[in-house]
Amino acid sequence: MKNRVRQIDLSSGRHGLTLLEVLLSLGLFLGALAALSQLWYGGVRASVQARLATQAILRCESKLNEVVAGAVPLQSASETPFEDDATWTWSLQVESGPHTDSLLVTVKVSHPGQSGLSSSDFQLRRLIRDPQVWTAAQQATTEETTSP
């Protein structure tokens, strides 16, 4: 058998891409890249907001439980930083409740952040019994039992 060399005729057919095709494919690539970057940024923003909201809820519940347990004085306070992280602040508002022996306690937790992306606020309200009423009642019963 003879080795036959096949010759390619360069004059017939197309070989390669035109400038228009290259620019069109580049435009499609950049458009897809822009759309994907917006989706990525939206996911990051949602992740940060969810993490901050969770921290705000936990800090608010914790501080309200401290108030109810008596570890924090039942007095209004404003923008007090947390001991473990000074970027988080809490405020306490104490009002008289709808009943004579109740108080409406509102705890608000804030993380101001540097932008709208990293800021978070959360607030909890709870009706509690006025500890002064119970303390007075306990003292009165103690005095009645100790007096002859």
Side-chain angles (χ1 to χ4, degrees):
M1 277 196 169
K2 293 182 176 179
N3 286 340
R4 294 186 185 181
V5 176
R6 192 171 158 186
Q7 292 182 347
I8 299 175
D9 186 12
L10 295 178
S11 62
S12 67
R14 255 178 65 185
H15 303 286
L17 301 172
T18 64
L19 181 60
L20 179 63
E21 292 171 333
V22 170
L23 290 177
L24 183 62
S25 63
L26 183 63
L28 288 173
F29 175 73
L30 292 177
L33 187 63
L36 288 175
S37 69
Q38 286 297 318
L39 287 173
W40 177 77
Y41 179 72
V44 168
R45 184 178 61 222
S47 171
V48 168
Q49 286 295 324
R51 183 177 48 83
L52 287 174
T54 301
Q55 285 183 5
I57 291 168
L58 291 174
R59 287 180 181 276
C60 199
E61 287 177 347
S62 173
K63 192 54 69 175
L64 186 59
N65 288 335
E66 289 176 12
V67 170
V68 170
V72 173
L74 199 56
Q75 300 172 356
S76 294
S78 178
E79 300 298 319
T80 307
F82 279 88
E83 293 175 4
D84 63 334
D85 188 356
T87 59
W88 287 92
T89 59
W90 60 276
S91 299
L92 176 66
Q93 184 178 0
V94 181
E95 303 170 349
S96 59
H99 307 290
T100 56
D101 64 340
S102 67
L103 296 173
L104 180 62
V105 177
T106 304
V107 175
K108 181 180 178 185
V109 173
S110 301
H111 184 270
Q114 298 172 352
S115 65
L117 177 65
S118 62
S119 64
S120 182
D121 292 325
F122 191 75
Q123 176 177 315
L124 280 177
R125 301 177 93 181
R126 183 184 282 181
L127 276 175
I128 63 171
R129 294 181 176 149
D130 188 357
Q132 302 236 341
V133 173
W134 292 100
T135 305
Q138 185 180 14
Q139 287 177 350
T141 56
T142 305
E143 290 174 0
E144 289 176 4
T145 57
T146 56
S147 63

